[in-house]
Amino acid sequence: MPAALFDTHVHLNAAPLIENLDREIDRARQAGVESFLIPGVRWKEWPQMLSVARAVPGALVAPGLHPLAAAEWNEEVAGGLIDLFSNTLTAAVGEIGLDALIDSPDMEVQERAFRSQLRLAVEAQLPVLIHCRRATGRLLDILRQEKAQRVGGIFHAFSGSIETAMEAIRLGFVLGFGGPLTYPNARRIPEVLRQVPKDAIVLETDAPDMPPHPHRGEPNAPANLPLIARRVAEVRGWSEEETARVTTENARRILKPVTSHR
């Protein structure tokens, strides 16, 4: 039997996935996807995220505030996040970071929430899921300043340069490759994938967003992860079996605080 795939970034608690969750999980398992990491976006969604993970064998959570929700950060939210650190389903903190493509909240607010969550993650020895758009230099500076290399994590939806990739890897991060890798006009992402070490590669769908080719324009689903895995196999010259084994081992290693005993 082929090695099982690990979807390291999938919003199972978001519509339309949540509306047909049993069907979507059945489809994913038939496609060979056995493990799921559900990232946080907004504080009020954390209980539902946790409820979904409890209902789906093989699912873990990464509670956190997305840059879009950074203005929600306060002492109450911080306390709620700390409470979730002791939950056996919590494998990381995320998705957190900086996004210069959104108008609100502003970068100062985003940075305050990002730094605060990073500090809590480092103190709790939990890896982090990084969201970054058009703010790479500043984000890398913050990771260094906050000693994020002590916990590492996953750079979600990596689309940067090989130089950025190698710096992220030096800081203890692996890179999440998803739907954009499969686009016919993709150039930089396949080249980065070709050059990075094999132990720095993980798979993700970001479902219901970022569907792979040929499903662009449709809601994404975890059952599409094999399309991404096949493209990784093509670029790296691996078999599909090796791709599944390597990327799943990488995911479990970076999320080791939880997955090592689950």
Side-chain angles (χ1 to χ4, degrees):
M1 177 177 291
L5 296 168
F6 197 136
D7 190 342
T8 64
H9 203 104
V10 55
H11 298 273
L12 293 179
N13 59 318
L17 297 177
I18 188 66
E19 296 160 3
N20 297 285
L21 186 60
D22 290 344
R23 185 188 70 185
E24 295 296 348
I25 295 302
D26 285 346
R27 289 180 61 227
R29 295 200 194 286
Q30 289 169 17
V33 185
E34 293 291 340
S35 300
F36 313 86
L37 183 59
I38 311 170
V41 177
R42 296 187 178 278
W43 174 43
K44 296 295 186 182
E45 297 169 1
W46 293 350
Q48 184 193 43
M49 176 183 68
L50 197 56
S51 177
V52 169
R54 290 192 187 104
V56 177
L60 299 165
V61 299
L65 288 188
H66 189 286
L68 279 166
E72 296 178 10
W73 186 257
N74 58 34
E75 289 186 8
E76 183 181 7
V77 174
L81 184 59
I82 292 169
D83 287 345
L84 287 177
F85 288 170
S86 61
N87 193 292
T88 57
L89 293 175
T90 299
V93 176
E95 63 186 279
I96 65 175
L98 301 176
D99 194 326
L101 293 183
I102 59 177
D103 295 328
S104 178
D106 64 32
M107 198 55 67
E108 183 179 350
V109 172
Q110 290 186 40
E111 184 173 322
R112 183 167 60 248
F114 180 39
R115 283 186 182 274
S116 297
Q117 292 177 95
L118 264 181
R119 290 171 184 170
L120 292 179
V122 171
E123 183 177 350
Q125 286 294 289
L126 281 168
V128 293
L129 307 186
I130 295 296
H131 172 107
C132 184
R133 293 199 303 172
R134 301 287 177 87
T136 303
R138 185 60 181 151
L139 184 135
L140 288 172
D141 285 343
I142 292 171
L143 290 178
R144 296 185 199 100
Q145 292 163 11
E146 300 298 340
K147 300 178 173 56
Q149 67 272 15
R150 293 181 178 178
V151 293
I154 300 173
F155 258 70
H156 156 56
F158 188 82
S159 62
S161 65
I162 185 61
E163 292 79 15
T164 298
M166 297 310 293
E167 181 59 22
I169 292 166
R170 280 191 287 271
L171 288 171
F173 287 81
V174 299
L175 312 176
F177 290 92
L181 175 69
T182 69
Y183 299 168
N185 62 347
R187 295 293 179 268
R188 184 160 72 171
I189 301 175
E191 189 56 34
V192 169
L193 173 61
R194 192 172 288 113
Q195 296 183 60
V196 296
K198 68 187 295 185
D199 61 0
I201 301 167
V202 296
L203 306 178
E204 60 170 64
T205 60
D206 199 19
D209 300 318
M210 292 208 306
H213 178 78
H215 298 290
R216 296 177 74 176
E218 305 171 13
N220 199 5
N224 288 330
L225 194 64
L227 295 173
I228 298 160
R230 286 175 200 137
R231 182 61 180 139
V232 170
E234 290 172 2
V235 171
R236 294 290 303 210
W238 294 341
S239 67
E240 292 184 25
E241 167 69 23
E242 183 178 11
T243 300
R245 179 182 58 77
V246 167
T247 57
T248 295
E249 286 178 358
N250 291 343
R252 294 197 176 283
R253 184 187 72 253
I254 206 73
L255 302 171
K256 186 177 179 180
V258 170
T259 57
S260 62
H261 64 263
R262 277 182 57 78

